[in-house]
Amino acid sequence: MLLFLSVPQPRPPGARTRAGAARVARWRRLRLRRQQLRRLRGLLRGLRGRPGAGGRRRGRMALCGQAAGAASLPSELIVHIFSFLPAPDRLRASASCSHWRECLFYPALWPQLRICLRVSPAEQPRLEFLMRKCGWFVRELRVEFAAENYLSGGGGPGDGGGADPGTGGEEVEALQLSTRWLEVLRTYLELVLCVLVSIRNNRIQQLFEEILSNSRQLKWLSCGFMLEIVTPTSLSSLSNSIANTMEHLSLLDNNIPGNSTLITTVELERFVNLRSLALDFCDFTAEMARVLTDSNHVPLQRLSLLVHNVSVMHKSLDNMPNDEHWKALARKSTGLRVYIMAFDIKSEDMLKILKPSIPLERIHFDSYITCVSGAIVDLISRQYDKFLTHFILMNDVIDTSGFPDLSDNRNEDPLVLLAWRCTKLSLLAIHGYTVWAHNLIAIARLRGSDLKVLEVTEESIDFDQGELADQDVDPVHNLIEQVSLGLGQPWHAVMDIESLSVFTEPNRHFYREMQSFSEDI
């Protein structure tokens, strides 16, 4: 419903002063606006008329003139009207005429698009139509597939699928996929491919480069995991004057193929005022470290590096900075601090990466396949005891034998040694590794109130048999009490892993942590 407010018409002033002239101009604008609204109101009333309606309604339509009709409205006005309507009403209104249907897919009307589909070949024409119309400009796209289709008509591996339980047994029945299930899977992949092909033609990449080329006072450029929007040529859109004044640069994308990088050494030379930098570790080469130590560059304060197994698989670690390069960087920037997140990286690769002279302040291990060894934790505690403040250890490897124990075959637990050596440690978060209760108490006592955050999931905590055998002491209550006393604040284990502050999609957590890490300067 459109609501029009009438404004009393004032008498046009005839003053010859500057203020009087301004009032005249204002009055004329209001009068013109009222005329337009009155004309639109009459036109909309006329559009409500239907064939076969009464003579009075047809008379109103005739007042609008011979050219009155849906097609006579300006496109801008139709889009403005559509902006007040919910999506179903927009679709119904677009059926009025071809002109309105063209206005329906104006980019400003669809910044977000949510599509609910059945996994059926009959849905593909509708999806292709929507992707052809909206796929090139939509900013947020959500496609949901109805779950019931996977199980209907023999749609799942557990529905029998024609298997004979009497002859094949449960194992054969679980492994056999029905023909219907394969058809549903193929249809699903075809629908997903339709969406992805349309997104590749999205203008966001072009708009992003236009923003860079038109920027005049850009100080902070942070682009992380933006679905290949950032390309190796994106930074060339920045003028030299903007690149010379940029203070923060973040370029992260694990999908860059082969040896391509989002920034080259030559490009980095333009960013002489850079104070904070975030890159994929495989993109941060020895040549880049040398550029950052040049006299014409200001000292770098924050360096965030993501070591991802996908990048390590497709790119080489041979070009990474050696210990001498890190020493030169530390001499150039005495306040330099480094944040590293390692995702599913093998221990032998981590031994190559962790150079002694890195001023490592924060490190985050996250894994679904490869677990961190006790030797790596021990190396970190010895090499970075003067800098380390954040240590995060996450593991979601599915292993029926239980969580790995870092203290196996060791006289001292590596996590206890970490708390003892790293006197600046303020955050320790652990999930998916066995943490013995008495070691957890020792960590709390060693670091005391300086350890601001101690997050350990309940399923990661284990107790000695001696503690469980003591009938006079509740081991869980005693653990909570002793850790709370050690930290000087109430403490309890994390009951639900999803409530763990660092438990999230790894890339997203790295990006958020990198933002706060860089904002410290």
Side-chain angles (χ1 to χ4, degrees):
M1 181 180 68
L2 294 177
L3 178 62
F4 296 95
L5 301 178
S6 61
V7 181
Q9 181 175 350
R11 178 179 299 176
R16 299 179 181 178
T17 62
R18 182 176 301 176
R23 285 194 296 270
V24 171
R26 191 182 310 113
W27 175 82
R28 288 175 176 170
R29 287 195 300 269
L30 289 174
R31 183 179 62 179
L32 179 61
R33 185 176 303 172
R34 283 195 297 271
Q35 291 174 351
Q36 292 173 344
L37 291 177
R38 192 179 301 113
R39 191 181 303 114
L40 174 62
R41 182 163 45 197
L43 182 58
L44 290 177
R45 286 175 179 172
L47 290 176
R48 295 193 186 101
R50 297 187 302 272
R56 180 181 178 185
R57 190 175 294 260
R58 286 196 298 271
R60 287 181 178 176
M61 188 65 147
L63 290 176
C64 298
Q66 296 296 326
S72 63
L73 287 175
S75 300
E76 294 81 0
L77 186 56
I78 298 174
V79 172
H80 184 66
I81 296 173
F82 280 175
S83 66
F84 294 96
L85 301 178
D89 291 342
R90 292 179 195 170
L91 294 174
R92 284 190 286 268
S94 67
S96 300
C97 63
S98 59
H99 181 45
W100 282 39
R101 192 157 50 250
E102 293 174 0
C103 297
L104 174 66
F105 297 103
Y106 192 82
L109 296 175
W110 305 99
Q112 299 175 341
L113 184 61
R114 178 183 176 186
I115 305 174
C116 298
L117 299 172
R118 294 178 296 108
V119 183
S120 168
E123 295 281 22
Q124 186 158 352
R126 185 160 69 105
L127 181 62
E128 290 178 349
F129 173 80
L130 289 174
M131 289 296 97
R132 186 170 62 253
K133 291 293 187 180
C134 301
W136 64 277
F137 60 76
V138 67
R139 298 295 184 269
E140 180 178 330
L141 175 63
R142 178 179 296 179
V143 182
E144 298 177 356
F145 296 96
E148 59 268 19
N149 289 98
Y150 291 92
L151 300 178
S152 62
D159 65 351
D164 187 359
T167 58
E170 295 182 357
E171 294 182 358
V172 175
E173 180 182 359
L175 294 175
Q176 184 177 7
L177 293 175
S178 66
T179 304
R180 169 61 180 162
W181 175 257
L182 294 176
E183 290 177 355
V184 170
L185 182 59
R186 182 171 59 251
T187 302
Y188 166 76
L189 293 177
E190 289 176 353
L191 295 176
V192 171
L193 181 62
C194 174
V195 174
L196 296 179
V197 170
S198 300
I199 291 177
R200 287 188 64 87
N201 298 322
N202 199 299
R203 287 188 65 244
I204 297 179
Q205 184 180 105
Q206 177 184 348
L207 294 174
F208 174 74
E209 294 183 357
E210 289 178 1
I211 291 174
L212 295 184
S213 61
N214 294 326
S215 298
R216 295 296 177 266
Q217 296 181 342
L218 192 62
K219 299 291 185 183
W220 182 292
L221 178 59
S222 187
C223 310
F225 317 109
M226 297 174 64
L227 296 175
E228 301 183 5
I229 292 176
V230 185
T231 66
T233 60
S234 295
L235 288 183
S236 61
S237 303
L238 282 172
S239 64
N240 287 331
S241 59
I242 296 300
N244 292 340
T245 58
M246 187 83 67
E247 295 182 359
H248 170 83
L249 180 62
S250 170
L251 296 173
L252 299 162
D253 193 341
N254 296 328
N255 297 317
I256 297 298
N259 293 323
S260 301
T261 61
L262 293 177
I263 183 172
T264 62
T265 303
V266 175
E267 197 72 53
L268 185 62
E269 292 178 350
R270 298 198 298 156
F271 296 84
V272 295
N273 202 43
L274 209 59
R275 301 177 184 274
S276 174
L277 178 64
L279 292 175
D280 187 289
F281 183 85
C282 293
D283 293 343
F284 186 67
T285 62
E287 282 298 310
M288 288 189 177
R290 182 194 58 78
V291 168
L292 293 173
T293 58
D294 287 345
S295 58
N296 61 331
H297 279 70
V298 301
L300 189 68
Q301 301 296 317
R302 295 290 184 269
L303 179 60
S304 301
L305 299 171
L306 175 63
V307 194
H308 202 285
N309 65 328
V310 175
S311 297
V312 174
M313 283 169 41
H314 295 92
K315 300 178 182 180
S316 174
L317 292 175
D318 296 337
N319 297 324
M320 65 180 179
N322 57 31
D323 198 51
E324 293 301 321
H325 294 116
W326 286 109
K327 287 181 180 179
L329 266 177
R331 286 194 300 268
K332 167 75 175 183
S333 310
T334 55
L336 175 63
R337 295 296 179 267
V338 178
Y339 165 43
I340 293 179
M341 177 177 176
F343 183 79
D344 264 333
I345 303 300
K346 298 178 181 179
S347 295
E348 53 265 31
D349 290 329
M350 286 306 303
L351 291 175
K352 299 177 184 177
I353 292 170
L354 295 174
K355 305 300 182 184
S357 299
I358 299 178
L360 185 64
E361 183 177 284
R362 306 183 185 190
I363 189 164
H364 178 174
F365 290 100
D366 207 313
S367 56
Y368 290 93
I369 302 173
T370 306
C371 295
V372 176
S373 65
I376 295 296
V377 178
D378 186 63
L379 177 68
I380 291 172
S381 66
R382 286 188 285 104
Q383 289 189 165
Y384 313 116
D385 55 310
K386 296 180 180 179
F387 301 103
L388 194 68
T389 62
H390 291 56
F391 187 83
I392 300 174
L393 201 57
M394 305 288 292
N395 170 36
D396 285 320
V397 177
I398 300 176
D399 189 350
T400 57
S401 62
F403 291 152
D405 184 2
L406 298 178
S407 63
D408 273 353
N409 303 320
R410 289 177 173 272
N411 295 328
E412 297 291 342
D413 183 88
L415 294 173
V416 176
L417 292 176
L418 181 84
W420 175 55
R421 291 168 176 160
C422 301
T423 57
K424 295 183 178 180
L425 190 68
S426 61
L427 184 147
L428 178 62
I430 303 170
H431 164 69
Y433 291 85
T434 299
V435 182
W436 296 99
H438 61 273
N439 288 333
L440 194 57
I441 295 173
I443 291 172
R445 291 174 176 174
L446 283 169
R447 292 274 54 86
S449 60
D450 293 334
L451 188 59
K452 305 299 182 184
V453 178
L454 177 59
E455 292 186 335
V456 183
T457 52
E458 185 187 38
E459 56 187 319
S460 301
I461 301 174
D462 205 349
F463 297 86
D464 287 335
Q465 292 300 322
E467 295 174 318
L468 297 175
D470 191 349
Q471 301 295 328
D472 298 331
V473 178
D474 180 1
V476 176
H477 177 75
N478 180 66
L479 172 66
I480 295 175
E481 181 181 16
Q482 293 300 320
V483 173
S484 299
L485 288 174
L487 297 176
Q489 59 179 339
W491 178 90
H492 58 82
V494 178
M495 304 297 291
D496 183 8
I497 184 174
E498 293 187 359
S499 65
L500 194 66
S501 65
V502 299
F503 181 76
T504 181
E505 198 275 329
N507 289 343
R508 185 180 304 173
H509 175 75
F510 175 81
Y511 189 73
R512 185 177 66 246
E513 189 71 13
M514 176 272 299
Q515 294 279 85
S516 63
F517 181 58
S518 299
E519 288 171 356
D520 288 344
I521 62 173

